[in-house]
Amino acid sequence: MSVRTLNKNIFWLTTSLILLCSSVIILNVWTSTTNHAKKQLEQTLRIAQSVFIQVLASREAELFNSAEVLTADFGFKAAIGSQDAPTIDSALLNQSDRIDADLMILLAPDGLVLNSTTEDLSPAQSFPHQALIERTLLEGGASEIILLNGKLYQTILVAVDVPGAPTIAVIGFEMNRDLLERSKNITLLDTTVKASVGNQLVFSASSLNPLEQQNAIDLNEDVSWLQLSLFTQKGFISRSFLLNKYGEEVVEVVLFEDINSILGDFNQLQIKITLIAFLSVILSILVGAVFSKNLADPLKKLAAIANTISRGSYDKEIVVKSKTTEVKELAESFESMHNNVQEREKRIRYQARHDLLTDLQNRYRISELIDERFSQNHRFQAVGANILGFRGVNDVFGYGNGDLCLIEVAKRFKTLGGEAARLNGGEFIWLPKEPVSLSTLRDIQTELERPIHVDDVVMNIKISLAVLNCPQDCSDTESLLKRLNICLDEARQTRGRLAKYQQEFEARYTRRLSIISELKKALVENNGELSLAYQPKLDLEIGDISHVEALIRWHSSKLGFVPPDEFILIAEQAGLIGSVTDYVIRNTIFDAKRLQDNGLDICIAINLSAKDILNENLLSIINKYLVDIGVNAAQLSFEITESDLVSDPQKAVEVLQKFRDAKFTLAIDDFGTGYSSLAYLKSLPVSHLKIDKSFVLALDSNDSDQQIVKTIIDLAHNFDLGIIAEGVENQSALMMLKTWKCDYVQGYHVARPMPLDKLLPWCKENKDKNWFEI
């Protein structure tokens, strides 16, 4: 089989292009003749416009001459002075007949018609164009085209200087069809004069009938001359121009030229050119058809193959027969592209279903697998996992090590079998092949939490797990992911960080969301839902109240009373604890100012969370509030929960030392329930220990509690620390603590928490009370 090069085929293409170029040249000649005709027509209309304007100028000069003759006539002036109406009318009629004027009127300066030769404006009527009268009186004369009783007049107004009887003479020609016919005799063009007030046409006169006027093309618009010259059914072409504008009265002139008189010969030429071009196109089509068939058939086959590939089918063999070398090479390129696309499609599909960092499946793919299991009514287990505080891992160890942490956790999931996916951040989901027990999950949790070693860095992580059994706990993918998230939220708050889904979790989750939403609202709007209560602390040495503890209270309009133990924890998890602490500190300092103003020397203790302690800006904020409000540092103290100090002990010690340097007293709250060693306790810059109320509530009847409390008091004294006991419920416990040299006590036996308005009178009422009477 002989193979012919593409160059031979291009020869036929070149022949076709030559024919096409010839057609373009012919078309260019055709366009040039049309444009020439257009220019000639425009020139004719412009000349006619100039002639028409000159005709009107000539009439205006005639009016001026007539006005001068009339106003210079002594007899006319004398008649005006004597108000001889017959003589005035006779003079006006004579002058009108002399110049064939259509309008002769004599006006008073106020516009009242004195004499008139026209029925359009009778004596005693008012001349409607007062501005024109004023101009005439000011300048001595004026000329204008005006509308008068539905007719259009070219007018001249001249002031007649008569002593004691100044008047104005109005002389005018009517612009009617007779005028336009005379103009046609000069310009050889038909003319239409239109007058409008505002946008409403009020006058029209034309040398053409209405049908002929409509059968015209406006040259002022964008006209396709190519289309016009061949296919127009119009008899005239028109050009309009503004003749005069007086106030809202607009006078426009339209000139009409017979199209055939200008374009007849050009149209014949264009028809011939069109026939030539048409024949050239037919010839080009015949030549192109032969060429395209030889070239297009194999290309069509390649296009069909490309469509097959685009639909994701890669099995069809590429076989294209062609006598053109270049087409054969193109077919080979298609074969290469087919293989590359097939390989790339596999990669894209894999990447669309997998997490690029961990190589686990992604949310999209695991959702597909879960949908399949639900649709096939399979019973299966879904386990959610979340790396607690993963953002902190990135912040402390850097994002690179954070990624390595995720990769290592993903590897551990892969060893478990089943299907695993990374949802986002530090969240994962695992679908085991067979359901696993809670004890097995705890072992898996331990394995997942093994420290991660990266070079010299050791990352200790904690992972919460949530378990759902399907389809018992949910029936679709969306509810599974939602409830898994709810269960994980519950697991984070559980000691073992492992939770199996229960229906009441959703109610608690919904309540937590409501608490977060309403607490944000209460903090932002400061709507009075939040308040402070103060529980007095009794100084056992002096037998008087010298300290109180500030306790926040929340009475929500939507949720009712929300216990602090509930919403403080949620505020910490939701990142709102900083705003809560700011509210407590700011309002406590205001209340400390009120205590000071009422002559009460009382120190107020404020509770700080772990996040508050790690806030480097907190101390400067507190000092600013103290300065702005005018309160001494001695009127504030702070209590820190023992377990909160363990998260970052070195940082906590540094921050607490800054508080001590600022002259604040510090106490460890709930002492005895945490995990601190004595060596760590010794390093803390605190001044007091506060015994947890769980050891004090039954102090008078529980020997073990007595032994623990007495030991803590002795320990504190050995470390030169003050001691506070909370939860004192009776006099016996109070006396025991006094005997053991406890420094302060608080509890319901001393007083319940109360707002400041009640604390002030309470302190005064109990100032001289003997607290140690039995």
Side-chain angles (χ1 to χ4, degrees):
M1 183 178 66
S2 61
V3 178
R4 190 171 60 228
T5 65
L6 187 62
N7 289 334
K8 292 183 179 180
N9 289 327
I10 291 177
F11 168 78
W12 297 106
L13 176 62
T14 306
T15 303
S16 301
L17 290 175
I18 291 173
L19 293 175
L20 181 60
C21 290
S22 300
S23 300
V24 171
I25 293 172
I26 294 172
L27 182 61
N28 184 57
V29 173
W30 182 25
T31 304
S32 298
T33 57
T34 302
N35 289 336
H36 178 72
K38 176 184 175 181
K39 291 178 181 179
Q40 182 176 342
L41 183 57
E42 288 178 340
Q43 184 178 6
T44 300
L45 291 174
R46 279 197 298 271
I47 293 172
Q49 176 181 334
S50 299
V51 171
F52 185 84
I53 293 173
Q54 188 61 42
V55 168
L56 292 183
S58 174
R59 283 163 57 94
E60 182 177 341
E62 187 177 355
L63 288 174
F64 267 116
N65 292 334
S66 176
E68 288 179 356
V69 171
L70 179 64
T71 56
D73 190 324
F74 177 80
F76 180 67
K77 290 182 178 181
I80 293 174
S82 62
Q83 299 183 356
D84 184 358
T87 304
I88 295 172
D89 289 340
S90 176
L92 293 177
L93 285 172
N94 290 335
Q95 191 65 22
S96 174
D97 293 339
R98 185 179 301 123
I99 64 172
D100 199 20
D102 300 301
L103 185 69
M104 297 290 287
I105 300 174
L106 190 65
L107 302 176
D110 60 358
L112 186 67
V113 176
L114 301 176
N115 299 85
S116 173
T117 65
T118 177
E119 295 179 356
D120 293 334
L121 203 61
S122 302
Q125 290 183 329
S126 293
F127 190 68
H129 300 282
Q130 188 62 38
L132 197 57
I133 294 175
E134 293 175 359
R135 199 170 90 197
T136 302
L137 294 174
L138 181 66
E139 299 176 1
S143 65
E144 198 66 73
I145 297 175
I146 62 174
L147 282 167
L148 194 62
N149 202 20
K151 297 179 181 179
L152 192 66
Y153 289 93
Q154 182 183 10
T155 62
I156 292 294
L157 280 78
V158 180
V160 182
D161 188 12
V162 178
T167 55
I168 297 173
V170 182
I171 306 174
F173 293 120
E174 183 180 356
M175 299 184 69
N176 51 20
R177 185 180 179 90
D178 292 340
L179 169 67
L180 302 181
E181 289 292 344
R182 289 198 298 271
S183 172
K184 181 178 179 179
N185 293 333
I186 300 173
T187 63
L188 301 179
L189 297 180
D190 287 289
T191 308
T192 295
V193 177
K194 300 177 182 179
S196 59
V197 178
N199 293 322
Q200 184 176 3
L201 181 67
V202 296
F203 172 82
S204 177
S206 178
S207 60
L208 294 174
N209 59 50
L211 182 61
E212 289 174 326
Q213 292 182 57
Q214 294 177 2
N215 193 30
I217 297 175
D218 190 352
L219 188 60
N220 292 339
E221 297 178 356
D222 188 13
V223 178
S224 171
W225 286 93
L226 182 63
Q227 182 181 6
L228 172 67
S229 61
L230 286 178
F231 307 109
T232 182
Q233 300 298 320
K234 306 290 185 178
F236 294 90
I237 190 161
S238 65
R239 178 187 182 93
S240 61
F241 64 91
L242 180 66
L243 179 62
N244 187 69
K245 183 175 182 182
Y246 169 64
E248 293 187 352
E249 296 179 6
V250 177
V251 180
E252 186 180 38
V253 176
V254 184
L255 299 173
F256 296 87
E257 171 68 285
D258 188 347
I259 291 178
N260 292 327
S261 65
I262 297 295
L263 300 179
D265 294 339
F266 290 110
N267 286 343
Q268 292 297 320
L269 178 61
Q270 290 169 352
I271 290 172
K272 294 178 182 179
I273 293 173
T274 302
L275 291 175
I276 294 173
F278 179 75
L279 293 175
S280 299
V281 169
I282 294 298
L283 181 61
S284 299
I285 291 174
L286 293 175
V287 174
V290 175
F291 169 75
S292 62
K293 180 173 178 57
N294 293 333
L295 187 62
D297 284 351
L299 296 179
K300 287 180 180 179
K301 291 181 181 179
L302 290 175
I305 294 171
N307 288 330
T308 302
I309 294 174
S310 68
R311 292 192 295 269
S313 176
Y314 305 102
D315 300 329
K316 188 174 181 179
E317 184 180 2
I318 298 179
V319 178
V320 177
K321 296 180 180 180
S322 176
K323 297 181 180 181
T324 305
T325 302
E326 289 80 2
V327 174
K328 292 178 70 67
E329 292 176 353
L330 181 61
E332 293 172 358
S333 299
F334 257 80
E335 179 69 24
S336 175
M337 180 194 71
H338 169 267
N339 296 332
N340 292 335
V341 169
Q342 186 175 13
E343 186 64 29
R344 188 161 55 250
E345 178 78 11
K346 290 179 181 178
R347 289 200 307 270
I348 292 173
R349 186 169 298 178
Y350 182 86
Q351 292 172 354
R353 295 182 171 186
H354 289 77
D355 178 58
L356 299 182
L357 177 64
T358 63
D359 203 37
L360 291 178
Q361 297 177 93
N362 58 17
R363 177 187 286 267
Y364 169 76
R365 178 55 181 162
I366 201 69
S367 297
E368 285 186 335
L369 295 176
I370 294 172
D371 286 338
E372 290 176 7
R373 297 193 182 193
F374 277 124
S375 63
Q376 296 169 6
N377 295 321
H378 286 178
R379 301 175 68 86
F380 64 97
Q381 192 177 65
V383 179
N386 182 35
I387 302 175
L388 298 181
F390 178 68
R391 180 179 295 178
V393 174
N394 284 328
D395 293 340
V396 174
F397 300 104
Y399 285 93
N401 286 328
D403 289 345
L404 294 175
C405 174
L406 293 173
I407 293 170
E408 180 58 32
V409 172
K411 288 179 181 178
R412 295 173 185 179
F413 270 112
K414 289 178 183 178
T415 62
L416 300 177
E419 303 288 349
R422 179 187 173 211
L423 299 179
N424 55 58
E427 291 188 7
F428 299 84
I429 185 173
W430 174 48
L431 306 179
K433 292 180 179 179
E434 298 293 337
V436 294
S437 65
L438 290 179
S439 61
T440 302
L441 282 174
R442 289 191 181 92
D443 294 337
I444 291 173
Q445 184 182 43
T446 302
E447 174 63 21
L448 293 173
E449 290 180 344
R450 282 190 298 107
I452 297 173
H453 298 267
V454 179
D455 297 329
D456 296 332
V457 176
V458 179
M459 290 179 280
N460 294 299
I461 60 173
K462 295 296 180 182
I463 293 179
S464 59
L465 296 181
V467 186
L468 271 75
N469 292 313
C470 304
Q472 300 96 306
D473 293 334
C474 54
S475 57
D476 58 72
T477 303
E478 183 178 355
S479 62
L480 183 148
L481 295 174
K482 176 184 175 182
R483 292 179 179 178
L484 204 61
N485 188 52
I486 292 172
C487 196
L488 278 171
D489 188 66
E490 196 73 28
R492 279 194 289 268
Q493 304 173 56
T494 305
R495 182 176 292 273
R497 302 182 304 283
L498 173 61
K500 183 178 180 298
Y501 177 77
Q502 300 175 32
Q503 288 187 350
E504 57 265 27
F505 286 178
E506 287 204 55
R508 290 206 289 264
Y509 181 76
T510 302
R511 177 169 173 80
R512 282 196 292 273
L513 293 180
S514 297
I515 287 175
I516 292 171
S517 175
E518 292 301 311
L519 183 58
K520 282 182 181 178
K521 182 179 177 182
L523 289 167
V524 171
E525 296 181 0
N526 195 18
N527 52 17
E529 292 184 358
L530 294 173
S531 61
L532 293 179
Y534 297 95
Q535 187 170 31
K537 297 179 183 180
L538 177 62
D539 188 330
L540 295 180
E541 183 177 354
I542 65 175
D544 197 3
I545 303 300
S546 59
H547 292 70
V548 295
E549 180 180 4
L551 302 170
I552 190 169
R553 296 290 183 262
W554 181 22
H555 292 270
S556 170
S557 59
K558 180 178 179 180
L559 304 174
F561 177 73
V562 184
D565 292 346
E566 182 180 12
F567 77 80
I568 290 297
L569 178 60
I570 293 174
E572 289 181 345
Q573 295 171 351
L576 298 175
I577 193 63
S579 298
V580 173
T581 301
D582 184 77
Y583 172 87
V584 172
I585 292 174
R586 185 177 66 255
N587 286 278
T588 297
I589 295 175
F590 275 116
D591 289 346
K593 176 65 173 174
R594 287 186 61 191
L595 289 171
Q596 177 181 295
D597 293 343
N598 280 271
L600 295 174
D601 185 14
I602 294 177
C603 178
I604 304 177
I606 299 173
N607 290 285
L608 297 181
S609 69
K611 291 186 178 179
D612 294 328
I613 296 171
L614 298 179
N615 181 2
E616 296 181 355
N617 298 321
L618 181 61
L619 183 58
S620 60
I621 293 172
I622 294 172
N623 286 327
K624 184 178 184 305
Y625 284 151
L626 290 173
V627 172
D628 292 345
I629 299 171
V631 175
N632 295 323
Q635 289 183 259
L636 288 186
S637 65
F638 297 94
E639 296 181 0
I640 304 97
T641 303
E642 181 182 359
S643 57
D644 286 344
L645 300 174
V646 180
S647 59
D648 191 350
Q650 183 177 355
K651 180 70 173 179
V653 170
E654 293 176 1
V655 175
L656 293 179
Q657 186 59 54
K658 292 179 181 179
F659 273 82
R660 291 290 288 157
D661 294 341
K663 308 304 180 185
F664 293 111
T665 57
L666 302 175
I668 296 180
D669 197 8
D670 300 336
F671 185 78
T673 61
Y675 310 97
S676 300
S677 67
L678 294 179
Y680 176 54
L681 176 62
K682 184 179 179 180
S683 67
L684 290 175
V686 297
S687 54
H688 292 78
L689 299 181
K690 190 172 186 180
I691 303 172
D692 187 67
K693 64 182 178 181
S694 62
F695 302 117
V696 181
L697 289 173
L699 185 64
D700 60 328
S701 60
N702 190 305
D703 294 339
S704 297
D705 286 345
Q706 293 174 14
Q707 191 63 40
I708 291 171
V709 170
K710 192 174 185 306
T711 301
I712 293 175
I713 292 173
D714 292 339
L715 176 66
H717 290 162
N718 289 335
F719 279 101
D720 199 21
L721 297 174
I723 195 77
I724 307 166
E726 63 175 335
V728 175
E729 298 292 318
N730 51 62
Q731 185 69 14
S732 298
L734 186 149
M735 296 307 296
M736 293 175 72
L737 290 167
K738 177 174 174 57
T739 302
W740 295 337
K741 299 188 183 303
C742 181
D743 297 296
Y744 301 94
V745 295
Q746 72 180 95
Y748 285 179
H749 180 65
V750 177
R752 291 176 177 270
M754 64 188 79
L756 185 69
D757 291 339
K758 292 185 179 181
L759 178 66
L760 292 172
W762 185 90
C763 288
K764 294 178 181 179
E765 291 169 5
N766 292 274
K767 182 168 182 60
D768 298 323
K769 180 178 178 179
N770 185 359
W771 293 94
F772 309 122
E773 274 188 327
I774 300 176

